[in-house]
Amino acid sequence: MITATRLEAAAAAVTVMSNRAEVTDWSARYFGQWWNASSVEASSVCAGAVLAADVDPEAYAALTLLVHDGRHTDEVEYARHRMLVARDGEDIIATSPDEAIAYRSSPASGRLTLSGVGAMELSLAAARLAREVIRGQLLQDGWAVLHASAVVRPEDGATLLAFGGKGAGKTTTAMLLAASGWQLLANDRVLVRPTGEQGVEAVPWPSAAAVGLGLLDSLGWGGAARGHVKDGGNFHPTQHDAVTTALLAGDFTPLWETGKRRERKVQVFPDQFTSLFGVKLATGGRAAALLFPRVDADASPDLVDGPVPVLGDGDFMSGTTEDRYPDVFELAGGVDGGGRRSARDEVSARLALLPHHAVRLSHDVDASAAALRKAAEAI
């Protein structure tokens, strides 16, 4: 039986189809409310972008053999896996031996076919590429991808965008405001486009959110997360086993990778923000203000006077800053992964006209939340 899940974001759409329901169920769960996922009859799908992902070991073997038949191949890293890419006429073909998945992309028709051995590996790959199909359509339609977290005020759609490098506090800002009644639009990146004379509209970029154990507990979500795991529930499969063990033990001490200043975090599915933590998700909004958080563990949280940063290329997820998913299947039609230069420049110019607030945060969650609410109340 073939099942199908349709995803829609702004004017972009793709239908994921599979001979295994868990593949389409995964996309439905992963994109859910953020990208208006809905089940459709497979027999009704006759137009538009289609991603067909089947568990079919024979098709995987045949396509892999085609890649290796002596034609020119390029080796790339895609989603941290080795992939061999080649051409078959106008089609792009590829094989990923680590995942046991083979790919065929037909840019002219908008059809992408995946054949694999394992349902879980195929589910992950199909979701990744479905997101890339949506992004490709939006990029060609004048959207850009900001490296920012975002929350939306439910009454009017006003959206706060939080910027900063790794560890600056983008996730902390989004989670604290989401816990205060704002709707979560994005954890780490957000799609934006100029609209009207001066506006900037935003839609989500669905992804699992990495939330530190300490922050999770401070937000009052630790008990729900622990109960979920104790009852046999899971978080996203990218979560490290040590984090799951800590949750089971009720230990919310931050976990750090050996020899690195990188924290191991809880990897939360988008739908789990609502089901476990009571946080509502937003499907869109309009930019209203920019926040520039900075975490200073020992300082008092507050708004910070003085000049605030100016947006630059590093605040967009361009091809130079986002290389986990190179566009080997030509889904973006040659547009840079962060959007056309004209789109990025126009978004930057419009965002520059909005209120900017530098906010100092600390490990005092209540005081940090109060400082963020103070900034939010000004818009």
Side-chain angles (χ1 to χ4, degrees):
M1 177 180 175
I2 305 297
T3 58
T5 294
R6 184 172 175 82
L7 310 173
E8 297 177 338
V14 63
T15 302
V16 180
M17 304 176 64
S18 180
N19 62 355
R20 296 286 290 271
E22 52 260 58
V23 175
T24 51
D25 287 348
W26 184 277
S27 288
R29 179 187 186 188
Y30 200 81
F31 299 108
Q33 178 185 328
W34 265 337
W35 276 1
N36 305 296
S38 60
S39 295
V40 296
E41 288 292 333
S43 59
S44 69
V45 180
C46 58
V50 174
L51 191 157
D54 288 340
V55 175
D56 189 337
E58 291 184 1
Y60 161 69
L63 190 48
T64 296
L65 190 62
L66 188 62
V67 173
H68 289 286
D69 72 351
R71 68 189 67 217
H72 173 76
T73 61
D74 293 313
E75 182 173 325
V76 301
E77 183 175 309
Y78 192 92
R80 301 194 174 109
H81 293 292
R82 173 173 165 265
M83 178 184 285
L84 294 174
V85 185
R87 289 273 178 178
D88 185 36
E90 294 184 354
D91 288 0
I92 302 160
I93 56 175
T95 185
S96 174
D98 293 344
E99 301 171 287
I101 298 173
Y103 305 78
R104 179 182 288 274
S105 174
S106 303
S109 67
R111 188 174 183 88
L112 186 60
T113 302
L114 284 65
S115 303
V117 174
M120 176 51 71
E121 292 81 3
L122 202 60
S123 298
L124 292 170
R128 280 196 301 264
L129 281 171
R131 189 169 56 189
E132 291 303 300
V133 171
I134 293 283
R135 172 162 75 163
Q137 292 178 27
L138 292 177
L139 292 177
Q140 293 177 73
D141 198 28
W143 292 75
V145 185
L146 281 175
H147 186 199
S149 66
V151 292
V152 175
R153 188 164 57 194
E155 306 92 84
D156 58 3
T159 301
L160 288 174
L161 299 166
F163 294 88
K166 189 175 181 62
K170 296 190 301 297
T171 295
T172 298
T173 296
M175 298 304 144
L176 288 174
L177 287 170
S180 300
W182 289 67
Q183 295 178 345
L184 183 63
L185 183 74
N187 170 61
D188 187 59
R189 64 198 73 182
V190 59
L191 287 148
V192 291
R193 181 178 69 170
T195 183
E197 293 185 4
Q198 291 295 333
V200 174
E201 61 180 319
V203 297
W205 174 262
S207 65
V211 183
L213 286 162
L215 176 60
L216 191 82
D217 191 44
S218 297
L219 289 166
W221 299 347
R226 185 188 184 203
H228 175 66
V229 175
K230 289 183 69 175
D231 290 341
N234 298 310
F235 286 98
H236 194 273
T238 55
Q239 179 171 296
H240 196 277
D241 290 342
V243 176
T244 304
T245 300
L247 285 174
L248 285 169
D251 183 359
F252 295 95
T253 306
L255 288 172
W256 300 92
E257 291 188 31
T258 304
K260 299 180 181 179
R261 289 302 297 170
R262 187 164 64 184
E263 187 179 356
R264 300 193 193 279
K265 299 181 178 182
V266 181
Q267 301 291 329
V268 184
F269 276 105
D271 69 309
Q272 290 176 328
F273 279 110
T274 301
S275 63
L276 293 179
F277 309 138
V279 170
K280 293 184 178 180
L281 305 181
T283 58
R286 56 172 184 82
L290 281 61
L291 300 179
F292 296 88
R294 177 173 58 86
V295 177
D296 187 338
D298 301 319
S300 298
D302 204 349
L303 300 185
V304 179
D305 294 328
V308 293
V310 176
L311 296 187
D313 283 347
D315 293 301
F316 290 87
M317 302 303 294
S318 67
T320 58
T321 58
E322 173 57 83
D323 58 4
R324 283 182 296 171
Y325 311 114
D327 191 21
V328 294
F329 299 112
E330 300 181 0
L331 302 174
V335 179
D336 181 87
R340 292 189 176 94
R341 168 57 64 181
S342 57
R344 284 183 276 166
D345 287 348
E346 183 62 24
V347 166
S348 293
R350 294 186 180 202
L351 292 181
L353 301 176
L354 298 177
H356 290 44
H357 300 289
V359 186
R360 184 174 57 238
L361 308 177
S362 76
H363 292 169
D364 184 335
V365 167
D366 290 339
S368 294
L372 289 169
R373 287 194 296 269
K374 182 178 178 182
E377 288 167 0
I379 69 169

